[in-house]
Amino acid sequence: MSPQIPKQKIEQTEGTLYVVATPIGNLGDITARALRTLREVKIIGCEDTRHTRKLLTHFDIHTPVTSYYREKEAHKAKFLLEKLLSGDDIAIVSDAGTPAISDPGHVLVRIAGEAGIKVVPIPGPSAITTALSIAGLEDTTFFFGGFPPSKPKQRRKYFKTISTLPCSVIFYESPHRISSCLKDCLTVFGDRHTFVFRELTKIHEERLSGPLSQLVDKVKENPRGEFVFILTGAKKSATDKPEDLDALLTWYHEQPDMTLKKAVSSIAADLDISRSMVYKKALMIWNQN
Ligand code: SAM
């Protein structure tokens, strides 16, 4: 006997807004409830209609779609709100994963909620929870850092503001920035145990883990695919940072064309610690090799 999926609809004149998670790669990860919802609503608001049409075609769903991508989100949200107020049930989806998580969706969710519309989550995949589920961390308290700023200076500044959090930190990153981003993480967070996940749920799924100083060497410039990575939390407090100094200096020392002076300036500025302390340790590492 097939399981009964409880209907959440109650008597109301307005429509319901369904926030529907879709697969982050493997189409088999769509839920039965997501499929039923996408079939039954009047219209589906999509981040990119071409992308969502492929998903709908695969599952033989013929519901009309409309785009509500980021630049148009405020305007399109009003249009969709009017439809909800006139009684239409609407679903929103993003290209992959859960809408409104580093994706469009929050504007419609907010204004629909404010207008008294029922907002129903249809949960499913998200790269955050998928990554966390295979990290094997005993303590799964985490901070989700989204996409770090693309410019290195702002990125390091952002990292500094969260570098003392005692919980794991999860980031999304694009393939053309993953390598430089991990290097900046090493500079600011120190040599933390790290997990880098590529192409989760897809054919070329890959899981790397180890000290960040090792992973920066394994992740090439401009690799292919989608990335999410997790840095484990700071051990005690910001005063832990100097403990990571040896690993950091070793990594700097191995970089081509890196001078002792450049390494000291960069580390002292990024970690906000005294140059003389960094210099003393740097001298030992440079003299050893
Ligand atoms: N809303 C989505 C979610 O719930 O995960 C995230 C959307 S965000 C625009 C896209 C980013 O999520 C990608 O750049 C990548 O960092 C991460 N991501 C999405 N799918 C992934 C996958 N299959 N493997 C690894 N990372 C993924």
Side-chain angles (χ1 to χ4, degrees), residues 24 96 98 101-103 126-127 147 172-173 199-200 226-227:
I24 58 168
T98 304
I101 308 290
S102 293
D103 260 344
S126 176
F147 284 97
Y172 287 162
E173 191 48 286
E199 296 285 84
L200 286 167
E226 298 201 272
F227 288 85

Side-chain angles (χ1 to χ4, degrees), residues 21-26 47 70 94-104 124-131 144 147 171-175 197-202 225-229:
T22 57
I24 58 168
N26 189 322
E47 183 181 2
R70 211 176 284 282
S94 58
D95 285 353
T98 304
I101 308 290
S102 293
D103 260 344
S126 176
I128 306 171
T129 44
T130 307
F144 174 51
F147 284 97
F171 294 108
Y172 287 162
E173 191 48 286
S174 71
F197 301 105
R198 186 173 82 90
E199 296 285 84
L200 286 167
T201 78
K202 303 185 195 175
E226 298 201 272
F227 288 85
V228 53
F229 67 96

